[in-house]
Amino acid sequence: MYSATIGRQRHTFADLKALLAKATPLRSGDVLAGVAALSGEERVAAQIALADLPLATFLSEAVIPYEDDEVTRLIVDTHDPAAFAPIAHLTVGGFRDWLLSDEATTAALSALAGGVTPEMAAAVSKISRLQDLMVMAAKCSVVTRFRNTIGLPGRLSVRLQPNHPTDDARGIAASILDGLLLGAGDAVIGINPATDSPERAHALLSMLEEIIGKLAIPTQACVLAHITTTLALIGRDSPVDLVFQSIAGSESANKAFGIDLALLAEARAAALALKRGTLGDNVMYFETGQGSALSANAHRGVDQQTLEARAYAVARAFKPLLVNTVVGFIGPEYLFDGKQIARAGLEDHFCGKLMGVPMGVDVCYTNHAEADQDDADALLALLTASGVNFVMGVPGADDIMLDYQSTSFHDALAMRDLYGRRPAPEFEDWLARQGLMDRANRIRPGELPAPFRALLPA
């Protein structure tokens, strides 16, 4: 049992799971789950108790029992005691102070990553201001490679997302060329298919393979089908670069997605065997989002932000190229408004980076949320300042297939100009060779190059 006193009122918390939940800044998903603090005072009391908690506590008390959950077993069994040793004496509050200090250099944080459990990362985020989350995340560097290099300091990559409600080849091709002209696509050219049909996924992969090959683009493609569909496509020699899957922070939530850790390992091994990467072997692409476990009734009484951090432990085990928190996609039942979405996005980015995960963020919201494009603009700017690895590039910021609002090619270009961020180096060189950069090395498309025009379907 944990406790803290405010004035004459003593607040007690039955276990670590309750303490983490009550300390979480207000969000609608935790209220829906019945785990949120009942008052601002109770929340502050939980944060005080959490700040005084030794980090070593997280190694002896699990929020979901070891024997009941393979994600917990993964977290415990892969913990690196040597990496943890430099911070083993600290409390959660002391760890936050250290992360904000000059001692917490990029090199020190990289060495620490394997020793940080998701619950430790979540705990620190719960007692941090947005400014703290930004400063701490900006110190972290997680670099990955497949056909280009993503996550280098001073770089901002973009997933080109050319979704179409009927997977129409002409519409997808037009969106891809639009994005390429505006410097998007170095993270991945990734299509969410309108159906999970293997034949449709194969056709889309073949189309992407043709575009990337004919234009000699140093990037990777992905059709975001279920992992079992992708495994079947690998078996029929489809041109699979990256294996995609949505993941969550509990075994039962992953079962709701139709996956387990063994299946993820099988798919990674199959993708590695293709040897399609030219610079590296990071072959996995994962997406996450606060509230996914609760929406599957698989949260086990754990708050949604702690579960989100646990999903990053799953991702970390499979050395992904990209991890993307789709921060406002699940809806206002879980993140009610722009304020809650902004905090969740900065929390997710910080927790993932601290744990050594290559984090991107889909700065997005559904049309029934209390949010608008001003909220998205603000979060996008904060994340770029925080060193996010990649963001989304959606035509007009409006995904006409998934029916939600995200960030556009122009939004990402504005962030690169505002903060002096550049694309992945290999992709930047390609843009220059296409004549898509001006003398100041800014992405400024002119006339459509002939090879681009030739790719548009008749």
Side-chain angles (χ1 to χ4, degrees), residues 333-411:
E333 299 85 357
Y334 308 96
L335 295 169
F336 180 72
D337 56 16
K339 180 181 177 65
Q340 292 187 11
I341 291 170
R343 177 157 187 107
L346 292 170
E347 288 170 347
D348 295 351
H349 178 242
F350 160 70
C351 288
K353 282 288 189 66
L354 182 63
M355 293 171 60
V357 173
M359 289 302 299
V361 179
D362 188 345
V363 178
C364 62
Y365 58 96
T366 58
N367 288 311
H368 63 309
E370 290 293 321
D372 58 25
Q373 212 63 33
D374 286 345
D375 296 307
D377 286 351
L379 178 54
L380 179 61
L382 295 177
L383 285 164
T384 305
S386 305
V388 69
N389 278 23
F390 69 99
V391 295
M392 300 298 109
V394 176
D398 182 9
D399 193 302
I400 58 174
M401 194 280 281
L402 293 174
D403 194 25
Y404 79 117
Q405 309 305 307
S406 184
T407 51
S408 72
F409 306 135
H410 297 83
D411 295 334

Side-chain angles (χ1 to χ4, degrees), residues 191 193 195-196 201 222-230 233 244-245:
I191 303 173
T195 73
D196 209 33
C222 186
V223 172
L224 282 67
H226 190 270
I227 195 168
T228 52
T229 300
T230 304
L233 292 171
F244 167 81
Q245 183 55 48

Side-chain angles (χ1 to χ4, degrees), residues 2 50 67 74 89 106 117 166 202-203 264 294-295 319 326 424:
Y2 305 97
L50 185 61
E67 59 274 13
L74 174 71
H89 63 290
T106 298
T117 70
T166 63
H202 174 78
L264 295 178
L294 176 58
S295 68
K319 299 179 172 57
V326 192

Side-chain angles (χ1 to χ4, degrees), residues 106-258:
T106 298
L109 291 170
S110 296
L112 186 70
V116 178
T117 70
E119 290 85 358
M120 292 176 194
V124 172
S125 73
K126 293 174 192 297
I127 63 167
S128 296
R129 298 169 54 191
L130 298 191
Q131 182 183 97
D132 299 337
L133 297 171
M134 293 172 63
V135 170
M136 295 184 295
K139 298 181 182 185
C140 299
S141 177
V142 183
V143 179
T144 55
R145 294 176 175 86
F146 187 74
R147 291 200 188 102
N148 57 24
T149 307
I150 299 171
L152 291 169
R155 306 278 175 169
L156 173 64
S157 293
V158 183
R159 171 189 161 187
L160 202 169
Q161 184 171 307
N163 296 342
H164 192 278
T166 63
D167 291 335
D168 177 73
R170 185 174 178 82
I172 290 172
S175 293
I176 290 173
L177 297 185
D178 184 23
L180 291 172
L181 290 170
L182 291 167
D186 51 339
V188 64
I189 303 176
I191 303 173
N192 295 87
T195 73
D196 209 33
S197 157
E199 291 73 22
R200 182 70 57 83
H202 174 78
L204 292 172
L205 284 168
S206 298
M207 176 185 178
L208 293 175
E209 173 88 341
E210 180 183 8
I211 291 174
I212 290 173
K214 284 188 174 180
L215 293 181
I217 310 170
T219 192
Q220 38 282 328
C222 186
V223 172
L224 282 67
H226 190 270
I227 195 168
T228 52
T229 300
T230 304
L231 266 171
L233 292 171
I234 291 174
R236 62 180 282 187
D237 296 325
S238 295
V240 173
D241 290 342
L242 305 181
V243 175
F244 167 81
Q245 183 55 48
S246 294
I247 58 174
S250 73
E251 179 179 348
S252 50
N254 283 325
K255 284 182 178 178
F257 285 140

Side-chain angles (χ1 to χ4, degrees), residues 21-35:
K22 300 294 187 181
T24 307
L26 179 65
R27 62 208 58 199
S28 52
D30 290 339
V31 174
L32 180 65
V35 302

Side-chain angles (χ1 to χ4, degrees), residues 94-113:
F95 188 29
R96 171 189 167 275
D97 292 344
W98 181 83
L99 287 168
L100 290 168
S101 76
D102 293 337
E103 295 178 32
T105 62
T106 298
L109 291 170
S110 296
L112 186 70

